Amino acid sequence: MIIVLKPRTTEENVKRVEDMVRAKGLSVHTVYGEDLTIIGCIGDTMRVDSRVFEVDKSVEKVMHVQESYKLANRAFHPEDTIVDVSGVKVGGEHLALIAGPCSVESEEQVIEIAKAAKASGANMLRGGAFKPRTSPYAFQGMGLEGLEILVRAKEETGLPIVTELMSAEYLDVFDEKVDLIQIGARNMQNFDLLKQLGNTKRPILLKRGLNATYEEWIMSAEYIMASGNPNVILCERGVRTFESYTRNTLDLQAIPVIKKKSHLPIIVDPSHAGGKWWLVEPMAKASIAAGADGLMIEVHNNPEAALCDGGQSLKPEKYDKLLTEITQIAKVVGKTV
Amino acid sequence: MIIVLKPRTTEENVKRVEDMVRAKGLSVHTVYGEDLTIIGCIGDTMRVDSRVFEVDKSVEKVMHVQESYKLANRAFHPEDTIVDVSGVKVGGEHLALIAGPCSVESEEQVIEIAKAAKASGANMLRGGAFKPRTSPYAFQGMGLEGLEILVRAKEETGLPIVTELMSAEYLDVFDEKVDLIQIGARNMQNFDLLKQLGNTKRPILLKRGLNATYEEWIMSAEYIMASGNPNVILCERGVRTFESYTRNTLDLQAIPVIKKKSHLPIIVDPSHAGGKWWLVEPMAKASIAAGADGLMIEVHNNPEAALCDGGQSLKPEKYDKLLTEITQIAKVVGKTV
Amino acid sequence: MIIVLKPRTTEENVKRVEDMVRAKGLSVHTVYGEDLTIIGCIGDTMRVDSRVFEVDKSVEKVMHVQESYKLANRAFHPEDTIVDVSGVKVGGEHLALIAGPCSVESEEQVIEIAKAAKASGANMLRGGAFKPRTSPYAFQGMGLEGLEILVRAKEETGLPIVTELMSAEYLDVFDEKVDLIQIGARNMQNFDLLKQLGNTKRPILLKRGLNATYEEWIMSAEYIMASGNPNVILCERGVRTFESYTRNTLDLQAIPVIKKKSHLPIIVDPSHAGGKWWLVEPMAKASIAAGADGLMIEVHNNPEAALCDGGQSLKPEKYDKLLTEITQIAKVVGKTV
Amino acid sequence: MIIVLKPRTTEENVKRVEDMVRAKGLSVHTVYGEDLTIIGCIGDTMRVDSRVFEVDKSVEKVMHVQESYKLANRAFHPEDTIVDVSGVKVGGEHLALIAGPCSVESEEQVIEIAKAAKASGANMLRGGAFKPRTSPYAFQGMGLEGLEILVRAKEETGLPIVTELMSAEYLDVFDEKVDLIQIGARNMQNFDLLKQLGNTKRPILLKRGLNATYEEWIMSAEYIMASGNPNVILCERGVRTFESYTRNTLDLQAIPVIKKKSHLPIIVDPSHAGGKWWLVEPMAKASIAAGADGLMIEVHNNPEAALCDGGQSLKPEKYDKLLTEITQIAKVVGKTV
């Protein structure tokens, strides 16, 4: 942490700020420049709220030079983490290929889509049982009944299942039945929920919040890891910008950035990012070319009749064709399908 | 809802889309323009997921013409709602003047600040007991112990208390002890929590999410109202933009916009918006001049030693001077203090 | 400037980076922390492109600790600058009250509006002669003919005139006839145009770009000042965010921030920010309460028939009422009207 | 264009708004819904400023249903446009592979880089002669001398040259010597400059503004086309968001979106987008996988010593390796190198 002092700060005031820093358990190293004086703060700065120094009349600003996360930090864990989702490896050279409907609507629907997706090469099944909806009047998902349908689809196809947890209330049942527990974008900073995820060893799929910085996203992973669950997969799903033609702006730079800062795997959800089915194919290919560890794609056998987000779902035939091209691009960048 | 068809859509395809609309329980009214054909959809469009039509090969785009909220909508409730917080009225010409420390740190601290704030004219006391922090390693608040301190400060000063609820787990105790229950920006779309708030009649202070549109924010109020609690106060606290010199960009246009769209009161939190104490005073005055129904301001007797967000807190003397000016501006815009 | 090195950088590599810094004419001061080593760079860092160091394999990141502007910097010029616009003072306690139509449409229109605005208390007349329009097919303004109309309105009313310059081609005629030359948001980083503004001594009204940071905005003022024209007034007119209900998000924190960083006056244009006439009144009052040095407001005698931006224009009666309230708020914050 | 009226608008007021619409030369078709009345406006709505209707007391809002561009619109020109840059085709299956230094620094430098890039497969040479810099004190480019160096490099290697035009003042010399004239992000809405580009037939490379919507970007291309120059190539180079770790957020969804809305080619500049050399390789591969018509990449033989933007430049060896992988991905998506 570096404290930049105001121009022409007196010797006495420099000393006072240095003392404030020492009082927080840090040691100081002060550099006198031409116009500016800066105080380098040495020690465990992670536990100090730096803004407290900004109150001081002699302080211009406080700058962080170090990340605030340890467990998720590649600096302390240089090798790629490979997460095991009930036998399916994610990370390193292994791709997660997750497909399925936005919402679980019926057993027939889910099993039909699951079989088609598996035949195309998918290795996990997604489906929403509890749905976060902007409107209280919109379809909120089938809940536990939807979860049971996913379990039956798993029995039928052998595909591990991925579904979203919205409340700690259901953590026990998710722990028992769900292979990969999804935390949605809107709950990325529901810190209370994140802390509870240490009570399961099931892998967590942590979606990026709509306006979360890379640092905040990794900090949310750190919450889960610090609570005792090291099995976290990150999922880029677009961020909110001024552009409203697409639902969100997919940030594929997130892939190399996360890989540089963290050892955790990162996959991409191109369906939610753009909100339009014809954006899914080019963005899925781009994601793999950029080094993503997998894709989560909405596939629906009858998008026109979907209860939710039909407009962003691929039909099984299109998904099948997409995976063929994905396989070729994966080879170029050193991944296996 | 309006469906815009692709240029040169055939008569047959127009019919097919019209049938899809009718199948959702809506009636249609089609307009043939020079280059474009549009289908007006009439009926209860609020319950229909419009994106499902975007899947159709003949559909160019779907546009909403109507808000998705009813209970919070001024169109159906033209008069200002006035919320009663344990005797303190908020809305109409009544200002909420909420002050207190970011975090509860000790009984002495809270009571000293509460007395000073009340003497300056504050009519409610805020203080964080449960703190949402980006880092799992940062101070997370005193929890229930902090809540007890607030209760004692209320006994001492008579000021109703405002504090943040982060999990439904504590709803019962909040219902018993807290006068105005705050839902923080990061939980604005924690839909599970919002639904549970119908189980209390205590007024709810709903902060705007960092990237929430006006529509989404009001929809979150609608969640609370639809679950059975009509006592909602909105709180603007800045949105996230490209500008990083300030913590967030305070959006004061939110005040007249919310007042146009909704009948609910809206207050402003200038302390969290800017993240710098010297921004609080001008933004507090601007908020009142723009018609806000109140202010929530961090006041701390020793900001340099605060455990959290000291940098954005006012000292009691500055708060006192601010309220004097606020009183004068309030008169100009027809509010009473 | 501070260079943060990667963890575990060897002594040899630290030396190499220090040598790179010295080769740029700076001196170094290196601080060894627990996990990190940082190199403080001392000297005229303003002329060094810091990103060049980021190429080095041992460098983690480079951070700036100092502003890049001098002429516009309050640190080197603590008193408020007061700009004289043909006799009307702007800055300090003096408010610029600029009113007029978005576009000049006819002599009768402009003179009628100018007289009404003056009677209400306006002290400058605005009107667009050259209009920046998103579409090549939209009305582009009356050009030089419009400028002549403004000149006649000035003769009639005595109000100094404000109008936008879009190209250096017309700088000579603007220098002769225009009292305050406006540079629009879209040209805020048209560096070629900015440099030419040193060829006039007429005051410049520099609007903030839709996505310009405070630093970039002040740097554009610095361009004008460095080219020889010190008479710059800044104008906040909203920034682009994810919220699309309003045209732009008005950033009133800009007022205290600019006043802290720079000595230049800052005014606000609430008409363009929101794009809706009913937002103008509350935002104008908020701007003055926040300490703005003036307002630029669109006034039109017949908004429904305006050739451009009628939807954001006030009628003269509303403007008159607004100035009455503005006058009262101005007094509270120490400004004179 | 659709005008949504306020709830409970009287018959008389509906008529009045209809008359306003007719007065603009449009015909009307009114739809009466349950809660709302909407007026469909039929005719050449492109020339009507829709905001004028928002002034009316009975109007809730005005919505556009049609794009405002014609020449650039794929609806009126379904086939891909292929732009010929002095013999190098761009668009359709043809990739532009543009490489070179950020700034022209010396003849030796440019020719060495140009030869290496050509050997790797580049088919155009870029280099900045006139540089848009945020600071007036930063290196502003070699100007016309730099342009001469590029011309000599072209003579030496046969590569067409690409360089940025910042002012119409130099249009004649660019018309004579430059093969592809770049308009930078900051000038994307310098409408005066755009209009002048009709005076050359040289292809124009139009970079997206940092906060330009797709619609605005295409409208700027429309300006150039409407002024008489149909040879426009679009270039995505990142947009500004809340994320500041990367210089900008690269929006690869722009590729399929632009291809859907327009027939113009679109290339990507991954160097400026991320601002970090290690982001260039994954984003270049992702761009091609997403269907881009080319890449513009900064290559420098000695990035540490570059006068500008060295931190985002690739060394020639890395560029060579990258083009090998690009060639493989291009095949998968049906492009030829």
Side-chain angles (χ1 to χ4, degrees), chain B residues 47-287:
Chain B
R47 280 160 210 273
V48 177
D49 183 351
S50 62
R51 277 183 298 161
V52 81
F53 300 112
E54 291 178 357
V55 187
D56 191 273
K57 64 181 177 188
S58 300
V59 173
E60 181 69 29
K61 60 180 160 183
V62 182
M63 302 170 88
H64 285 276
V65 295
Q66 207 169 358
E67 285 95 356
S68 311
Y69 45 93
K70 290 218 158 141
L71 301 172
N73 199 329
R74 192 179 280 270
F76 306 112
H77 185 303
E79 306 77 30
D80 286 346
T81 282
I82 296 175
V83 174
D84 185 306
V85 182
S86 305
V88 175
K89 291 188 164 52
V90 183
E93 61 174 36
H94 309 281
L95 293 184
L97 295 170
I98 308 170
C102 182
S103 294
V104 172
E105 294 167 21
S106 75
E107 188 167 335
E108 297 68 35
Q109 168 226 27
V110 173
I111 290 179
E112 181 183 332
I113 296 171
K115 285 182 173 170
K118 187 180 180 187
S120 299
N123 55 17
M124 283 189 237
L125 171 66
R126 61 148 292 155
F130 296 88
K131 301 294 306 169
R133 302 302 298 272
T134 305
S135 165
Y137 309 121
F139 173 57
Q140 309 273 317
M142 292 179 76
L144 291 176
E145 194 187 337
L147 186 52
E148 288 309 320
I149 291 176
L150 287 169
V151 169
R152 287 199 287 280
K154 178 185 175 179
E155 289 162 4
E156 196 81 25
T157 62
L159 294 175
I161 55 176
V162 189
T163 196
E164 179 168 349
L165 176 70
M166 287 178 64
S167 163
E169 183 186 348
Y170 295 106
L171 185 56
D172 285 350
V173 62
F174 272 61
D175 182 44
E176 188 193 336
K177 299 181 173 174
V178 177
D179 301 284
L180 176 58
I181 300 175
Q182 178 178 321
I183 300 299
R186 284 166 188 77
N187 277 323
M188 193 203 85
Q189 292 195 316
N190 180 344
F191 300 119
D192 208 75
L193 180 57
L194 299 180
K195 285 177 195 172
Q196 310 250 17
L197 296 175
N199 295 326
T200 177
K201 293 293 181 225
R202 292 285 192 183
I204 307 297
L205 183 65
L206 181 66
K207 289 197 146 190
R208 182 180 185 181
L210 271 74
N211 68 338
T213 62
Y214 302 130
E215 174 101 8
E216 290 171 340
W217 188 15
I218 299 175
M219 286 308 292
S220 287
E222 185 87 3
Y223 254 99
I224 299 168
M225 297 170 89
S227 75
N229 186 343
N231 304 307
V232 180
I233 301 171
L234 300 170
C235 180
E236 162 69 26
R237 42 78 72 225
V239 292
R240 186 164 273 183
T241 67
F242 59 85
E243 178 58 75
S244 60
Y245 178 77
T246 47
R247 198 195 204 193
N248 291 119
T249 298
L250 186 64
D251 174 15
L252 293 184
Q253 290 182 154
I255 300 165
V257 170
I258 290 295
K259 291 204 162 293
K260 189 179 185 72
K261 290 173 161 270
S262 178
H263 51 88
L264 297 173
I266 173 172
I267 70 167
V268 176
D269 174 351
S271 306
H272 279 85
K276 298 179 193 289
W277 68 266
W278 50 271
L279 287 171
V280 174
E281 185 207 309
M283 289 305 107
K285 291 190 273 189
S287 300

Side-chain angles (χ1 to χ4, degrees), chain D residues 50-182:
Chain D
S50 62
R51 277 182 298 161
V52 81
F53 299 113
E54 292 178 358
V55 187
D56 192 273
K57 62 181 178 185
S58 301
V59 172
E60 180 69 32
K61 61 181 160 182
V62 182
M63 302 170 89
H64 284 276
V65 295
Q66 206 169 0
E67 285 97 356
S68 311
Y69 45 91
K70 289 219 157 140
L71 301 172
N73 199 328
R74 190 178 280 272
F76 305 112
H77 184 303
E79 305 79 29
D80 285 347
T81 282
I82 295 174
V83 174
D84 185 306
V85 183
S86 305
V88 175
K89 289 188 165 53
V90 183
E93 62 174 34
H94 308 283
L95 293 184
L97 295 169
I98 307 172
C102 182
S103 295
V104 171
E105 293 166 21
S106 74
E107 187 167 337
E108 298 67 37
Q109 170 227 28
V110 175
I111 290 178
E112 182 184 329
I113 295 171
K115 284 182 174 171
K118 187 181 181 186
S120 298
N123 56 17
M124 284 189 237
L125 172 66
R126 62 148 290 156
F130 297 87
K131 301 293 305 170
R133 302 302 297 273
T134 304
S135 165
Y137 310 121
F139 174 58
Q140 308 273 319
M142 293 179 73
L144 291 176
E145 194 187 337
L147 186 52
E148 288 308 318
I149 291 175
L150 287 169
V151 169
R152 288 199 288 280
K154 178 185 177 177
E155 288 163 3
E156 196 81 24
T157 61
L159 293 176
I161 56 178
V162 188
T163 196
E164 179 167 349
L165 176 70
M166 287 177 64
S167 162
E169 184 187 349
Y170 295 106
L171 185 56
D172 284 351
V173 62
F174 271 62
D175 182 45
E176 189 193 337
K177 297 181 175 175
V178 177
D179 299 285
L180 177 58
I181 300 174
Q182 178 178 322

Side-chain angles (χ1 to χ4, degrees), chain A residues 18-28 41-45 48 53, chain C residues 34:
Chain A
E18 288 177 343
D19 288 346
M20 283 172 66
V21 175
R22 288 196 197 94
K24 297 281 180 189
L26 304 174
S27 61
V28 302
C41 308
I42 298 167
D44 187 4
T45 57
V48 177
F53 299 113
Chain C
E34 272 180 24

Side-chain angles (χ1 to χ4, degrees), chain A residues 20 24 46-47 49 51-57 60 68-71 131-138 140 166-170 186-187 189-192 195-196 209-213 215-216 219-220 222-223 226 240 245 247 275-277 303-313 315, chain B residues 20 24 46-47 49 51-57 60 68-71 131-138 140 166-170 186-187 189-192 195-196 209-213 215-216 219-220 222-223 226 240 245 247 275-277 303-313 315:
Chain A
M20 283 172 66
K24 297 281 180 189
M46 210 182 276
R47 279 162 212 272
D49 184 351
R51 277 183 298 163
V52 81
F53 299 113
E54 291 179 358
V55 187
D56 192 274
K57 63 181 179 185
E60 180 69 30
S68 310
Y69 43 93
K70 290 218 158 142
L71 301 172
K131 301 293 306 170
R133 301 302 298 273
T134 306
S135 166
Y137 310 121
Q140 309 273 318
M166 287 178 65
S167 162
E169 184 187 347
Y170 295 107
R186 283 167 189 77
N187 278 322
Q189 292 194 317
N190 180 344
F191 300 120
D192 207 75
K195 285 178 193 171
Q196 309 250 19
L210 270 75
N211 70 337
T213 61
E215 174 101 7
E216 289 171 340
M219 286 310 290
S220 287
E222 185 88 2
Y223 255 98
R240 186 162 274 182
Y245 178 77
R247 196 195 206 194
K276 298 178 191 290
W277 67 265
E304 290 87 347
L307 289 178
C308 147
D309 285 348
Q312 68 200 32
S313 295
K315 293 189 182 179
Chain B
M20 282 171 67
K24 296 282 180 188
M46 211 183 273
R47 280 160 210 273
D49 183 351
R51 277 183 298 161
V52 81
F53 300 112
E54 291 178 357
V55 187
D56 191 273
K57 64 181 177 188
E60 181 69 29
S68 311
Y69 45 93
K70 290 218 158 141
L71 301 172
K131 301 294 306 169
R133 302 302 298 272
T134 305
S135 165
Y137 309 121
Q140 309 273 317
M166 287 178 64
S167 163
E169 183 186 348
Y170 295 106
R186 284 166 188 77
N187 277 323
Q189 292 195 316
N190 180 344
F191 300 119
D192 208 75
K195 285 177 195 172
Q196 310 250 17
L210 271 74
N211 68 338
T213 62
E215 174 101 8
E216 290 171 340
M219 286 308 292
S220 287
E222 185 87 3
Y223 254 99
R240 186 164 273 183
Y245 178 77
R247 198 195 204 193
K276 298 179 193 289
W277 68 266
E304 292 87 347
L307 289 178
C308 146
D309 286 347
Q312 68 199 32
S313 296
K315 294 189 182 179

